[in-house]
Amino acid sequence: MLEGNRVSRISVRGFAVASATAVTAVGSVVGVASGSVAQNNDDAEATAAGTTLLADIPMGEQAQVQTASLTHQADVQAIAADASAKKDAEEAARKAAAQTAVAKQEKAKKAAQAAKQREAAKEAASRDAKRESTSFAVQSSYSTGQIQAMARQMVPSGQFQCFSNIVNHESSWNYQAVNPSSGAYGLFQALPAGKYASAGADWRTNPATQIKWGLSYMDNRYGSPCEAWTFWQANHWY
């Protein structure tokens, strides 16, 4: 029944319960734009009984209140959806970046390994093509230039400068150099001098035999003349 411009409490409560169920009342039943979570149907009537009712709001403002409540709910849901979408996008971007980084590292690693293998194969092929110490004619004496020419034909081109650096420091390319204190001998100052014999019995008089021994020593102990030179620079011996 109408009571002036107000509807009865019973009618209003029923309407409030229906409103709470239909629109998840944040403002229209529980309070205007309160931001509270929607209640279930079992609690709706009790909530409506203890809070501001839609009927307690002037008739002319009820539509505005309902609109404001629904708008508020829509805004809250939109903000939550945006935050969730942003979080998902950031997580996807992080995963994609991590996968890309791993892929690049693997690619770089494989490229480095392939380059190393190519270089090793090139060095091996170059070394195989070099002359053996026994292919040089035996002479009674050798000049520095002749000894260096032998070395160039026996040492891989990419390793020759490192090889030469060591010989320069050890003997200045004198294949008969002797250390008066230790007895170290020859181009590489081998100690004891008899180590050269593993490359040939003529090691005292044939620089090519000494070169063969020195190259083998550097390869076996350090991996290459350049690795041996790196060690020599750090320690001043090899």
Side-chain angles (χ1 to χ4, degrees), residues 9-236:
R9 283 281 182 175
I10 294 175
S11 299
V12 168
R13 182 171 296 152
F15 181 78
V17 172
S19 298
T21 302
V23 298
T24 314
V26 175
S28 62
V29 175
V30 180
V32 178
S34 65
S36 62
V37 178
Q39 297 168 306
N40 60 36
N41 293 339
D42 293 337
D43 296 333
E45 185 173 354
T47 301
T51 58
T52 301
L53 301 176
L54 186 64
D56 292 332
I57 300 172
M59 292 292 290
E61 299 178 9
Q62 289 180 8
Q64 295 177 355
V65 170
Q66 287 180 309
T67 300
S69 175
L70 294 173
T71 299
H72 175 75
Q73 291 179 67
D75 289 343
V76 170
Q77 292 172 355
I79 291 172
D82 288 344
S84 178
K86 183 178 180 181
K87 183 178 179 180
D88 291 343
E90 291 175 347
E91 183 63 22
R94 282 194 295 269
K95 289 182 179 179
Q99 291 174 346
T100 300
V102 170
K104 287 183 178 179
Q105 288 177 348
E106 287 297 324
K107 185 177 181 180
K109 184 178 179 180
K110 289 180 179 179
Q113 290 176 338
K116 187 175 181 180
Q117 290 173 349
R118 288 194 299 270
E119 185 63 24
K122 182 179 179 181
E123 289 291 343
S126 177
R127 188 171 302 164
D128 290 342
K130 296 301 178 181
R131 293 177 62 179
E132 289 291 332
S133 61
T134 56
S135 66
F136 294 99
V138 178
Q139 300 177 196
S140 59
S141 63
Y142 300 86
S143 67
T144 297
Q146 289 175 322
I147 297 172
Q148 290 175 337
M150 288 180 180
R152 286 185 182 278
Q153 295 181 65
M154 296 174 69
V155 179
S157 59
Q159 298 290 325
F160 178 77
Q161 188 58 57
C162 298
F163 184 90
S164 178
N165 291 341
I166 292 176
V167 178
N168 277 330
H169 283 284
E170 294 296 321
S171 64
S172 298
W173 290 95
N174 181 359
Y175 71 104
Q176 295 177 321
V178 179
N179 186 310
S181 299
S182 65
Y185 186 85
L187 295 173
F188 306 95
Q189 290 294 281
L191 184 68
K195 288 182 177 180
Y196 288 119
S198 63
D202 59 347
W203 57 272
R204 289 185 181 276
T205 58
N206 190 347
T209 299
Q210 293 186 16
I211 292 170
K212 179 181 179 180
W213 178 89
L215 180 59
S216 177
Y217 172 81
M218 294 178 198
D219 285 343
N220 292 333
R221 186 178 180 107
Y222 299 101
S224 70
C226 283
E227 292 294 335
W229 172 235
T230 297
F231 183 89
W232 196 101
Q233 288 177 292
N235 301 278
H236 299 289

